[in-house]
Amino acid sequence: MTKPRIGVLGIQGAYARHAEMIVLAGGESEIVKYREQLDGLDGLILPGGESTTMTKVLGFRITHDDILDFARHKPVFGTCAGLILIACGVTDPRVRQLGLIDANISRNAYGSQKDSFVSEISLEFDRGVPFHAVFIRAPLILSVGGSVTVLSVHENAPVLIGSGMHLGATFHPELTHDTRIHRYFIQTVKEVKDGKTTRSQ
Ligand code: GLN
């Protein structure tokens, strides 16, 4: 069986480690800088970074609309700034969102870089061992719509959410050696690829 091929948007931010995690989690990975690369992919990760900067850079070699087209048929996973981009509502007009997940987000809600923190969270799909989640100038999910499944919470706020085939995390799941969240995404990608999912939009 061929491995699912997952792209990591590589125009800004923390993309390299995501590509390593995909391989450790059983997929093939590719750093994506050009729209033509999307054709060969089964899923896409939008990494952490700076959502205002990513908004500006999305418009050249790969655009907002290219990713929207891709997301109609294939799963997208947004982490931190990537989640801000794939969600619906954000309290910052400089960010242009894709609206793939019905969630309202507040940027930098926990404070500045020095207020970044690590917390043990429980994963709804694998409750056995806590996940060591790294929050770096993390966004806060203020509210989610009825189509959203909350997969993990921190201090009563959702921090890992799914909607149809798409996934979003307010933290950096690539900054640990724990591949469970990447494996969860890869599993969705496989199901969509094989036409087996009940999670498609
Ligand atoms: N604060 C960043 C933003 O709003 C996100 C931080 C991150 O991705 N680690 O885009």
Side-chain angles (χ1 to χ4, degrees):
M1 207 177 69
T2 57
K3 292 181 178 178
R5 193 164 181 82
I6 318 271
V8 186
L9 189 66
I11 55 172
Q12 198 268 333
Y15 50 84
R17 179 77 187 131
H18 266 302
E20 291 169 16
M21 284 294 266
I22 290 165
V23 172
L24 290 174
E28 286 181 0
S29 70
E30 177 173 336
I31 305 290
V32 178
K33 294 184 187 282
Y34 301 95
R35 68 169 60 81
E36 293 75 15
Q37 290 175 269
L38 292 173
D39 293 340
L41 300 176
D42 303 308
L44 182 67
I45 293 180
L46 270 59
E50 200 58 50
S51 52
T52 49
T53 310
M54 280 189 203
T55 296
K56 286 186 194 152
V57 190
L58 271 179
F60 296 98
R61 295 169 182 162
I62 182 162
T63 67
H64 190 92
D65 286 344
D66 295 328
I67 296 177
L68 263 186
D69 281 346
F70 181 88
R72 274 188 249 286
H73 309 288
K74 294 180 180 170
V76 175
F77 179 18
T79 63
C80 208
L83 165 65
I84 298 171
L85 285 182
I86 70 169
C88 276
V90 68
T91 50
D92 189 330
R94 291 171 299 169
V95 179
R96 184 173 173 207
Q97 292 179 293
L98 292 151
L100 304 179
I101 297 188
D102 185 8
N104 275 300
I105 314 275
S106 173
R107 294 185 59 224
N108 301 325
Y110 297 94
S112 64
Q113 189 79 14
K114 67 176 172 32
D115 301 306
S116 298
F117 62 97
V118 174
S119 182
E120 305 286 305
I121 59 170
S122 171
L123 304 176
E124 208 45 57
F125 50 85
D126 188 357
R127 290 177 156 276
V129 184
F131 188 91
H132 199 68
V134 181
F135 294 82
I136 303 174
R137 279 184 308 115
L140 179 67
I141 298 176
L142 302 172
S143 62
V144 295
S147 58
V148 172
T149 306
V150 175
L151 298 167
S152 189
V153 295
H154 168 72
E155 291 179 350
N156 295 323
V159 292
L160 181 66
I161 54 178
S163 178
M165 58 187 163
H166 304 308
L167 187 66
T170 62
F171 53 93
H172 281 253
E174 80 283 11
L175 294 182
T176 68
H177 297 287
D178 187 336
T179 57
R180 280 179 291 165
I181 296 177
H182 285 80
R183 278 191 274 136
Y184 180 83
F185 180 61
I186 288 176
Q187 184 58 35
T188 304
V189 170
K190 276 186 189 161
E191 288 171 12
V192 172
K193 192 177 177 192
D194 298 343
K196 283 187 195 150
T197 190
T198 52
R199 292 198 207 138
S200 62
Q201 308 256 55

